Amino acid sequence: MAPGLFITFEGIDGAGKSSHIAPLAAAWRAQGRCVTLTREPGGTPLAEKLRALLLHDDMDALTEALLVFAARRDHLRCVIEPALARGDVVLCDRFTDATFAYQGAGRGFDTQVLSYLERIAQTGLALEPDLMRNPDLTLWFDLAPDVAAARLADARSPDRFEALDTAFFHRVAQGYAARAASAPQRFARIDAAQPQAQVWQQLTAVLVQRGWLADGAGVVPAMSVPGATL
Ligand SMILES: Nc1ncnc2c1ncn2[C@@H]1O[C@H](COP(=O)(O)OP(=O)(O)OP(=O)(O)O)[C@@H](O)[C@H]1O
Ligand SMILES: Cc1cn([C@H]2C[C@H](O)[C@@H](COP(=O)(O)O)O2)c(=O)[nH]c1=O
């Protein structure tokens, strides 16, 4: 059995993550791999309830942090770890880097506390009891906040995060850049300002280069992918 692969997609709101996840899942499935497609916050019935609170109810940064890690713990326990144990490719729209970027850099919440919560929420679930689960690869969609905002402007009514100002998203973008610099082996930066066909080429090239996806994978996704919501 091929070992499981845990791949996360990160970037500010509107960077283009969701548009590429479903086509990547299709590319892997076409090559015979089982894929688990999921998202954070969310991915389990309990975590989806916490997501609704996080996206719509007013709360302070500590409450936000506690809720995202509670949702993550349930998600790891019920979905991610079992899928990795089966040998699936797990494609997850956001994970802990989002917490460091949004609650840490964006809200200014203490990153040492986040690191502590990360350790207790992400440890003790895999076969090796001391393993703190981290992604094998993080595809970071890097895009200027004003371009992302323009892409989202007509797309949907904003949630509690999307309604925040550009200064917040500049801080979040800097938070992602700092996370990427601190773990260069794990992160692959995708230039999300490119047209979608080129974003797709860059994404698949990263995966082919690691030997995880065979060359010539899949079709370039249409600009809007029906059923791409997770
Ligand atoms: N490379 C691209 N060029 C232009 N528009 C794009 C590109 N990629 C995605 N879009 C469009 O930008 C909008 C946001 O894309 P998408 O929903 O994939 O972003 P996202 O990163 O998943 O956002 P969020 O995190 O807020 O859910 C969509 O309307 C999508 O069609
Ligand atoms: C995992 C995670 C997410 N967030 C924020 C980031 C986004 O604004 C929303 C999720 O919406 P999306 O359309 O699914 O991207 O939640 C956060 O603040 N902290 C986190 O850990």
Side-chain angles (χ1 to χ4, degrees):
M1 182 178 80
L5 267 182
F6 182 26
I7 300 176
T8 57
F9 297 73
E10 295 284 1
I12 59 172
D13 290 82
K17 301 173 296 301
S18 316
S19 303
H20 293 88
I21 296 179
L24 269 182
W28 253 300
R29 286 179 180 135
Q31 295 179 9
R33 281 301 291 262
C34 291
V35 178
T36 292
L37 203 59
T38 190
R39 72 172 179 186
E40 290 214 350
T44 69
L46 172 62
E48 288 292 330
K49 288 182 196 164
L50 297 178
R51 176 189 174 91
L53 297 176
L54 279 158
L55 265 48
H56 302 294
D57 288 29
D58 191 33
M59 63 188 79
D60 73 357
L62 172 59
T63 311
E64 263 181 32
L66 293 171
L67 289 185
V68 289
F69 277 113
R72 184 160 301 134
R73 174 86 184 170
D74 193 59
H75 190 208
L76 278 165
R77 190 174 72 83
C78 299
V79 173
I80 296 174
E81 293 297 345
L84 293 173
R86 287 194 302 270
D88 281 16
V89 175
V90 176
L91 302 180
C92 189
D93 193 342
R94 300 188 185 279
F95 194 63
T96 308
D97 296 306
T99 314
F100 281 86
Y102 281 75
Q103 281 65 51
R107 299 278 197 216
F109 187 72
D110 188 335
T111 51
Q112 280 188 302
V113 177
L114 294 181
S115 296
Y116 176 68
L117 293 172
E118 175 187 33
R119 178 147 298 280
I120 58 175
Q122 291 171 218
T123 304
L125 294 162
L127 281 178
E128 312 96 284
D130 293 336
L131 176 83
M132 182 174 95
R133 178 61 69 190
N134 265 313
D136 297 302
L137 172 68
T138 296
L139 295 161
W140 167 39
F141 285 63
D142 189 18
L143 186 65
D146 54 329
V147 180
R151 285 185 188 173
L152 283 183
D154 299 321
R156 57 191 178 221
S157 57
D159 61 36
R160 207 165 63 86
F161 293 101
E162 289 165 354
L164 292 167
D165 60 16
T166 315
F168 176 83
F169 285 102
H170 276 289
R171 292 195 297 278
V172 173
Q174 282 165 6
Y176 274 124
R179 288 287 283 179
S182 73
Q185 310 284 1
R186 173 166 70 81
F187 272 84
R189 178 186 172 275
I190 304 298
D191 177 3
Q194 302 173 98
Q196 200 169 3
Q198 278 154 259
V199 172
W200 176 255
Q201 296 299 340
Q202 199 186 342
L203 274 178
T204 50
V206 169
L207 299 165
V208 169
Q209 202 211 341
R210 291 186 183 226
W212 292 344
L213 194 64
D215 214 350
V219 290
V220 176
M223 278 310 292
S224 174
V225 181
T229 36
L230 303 171

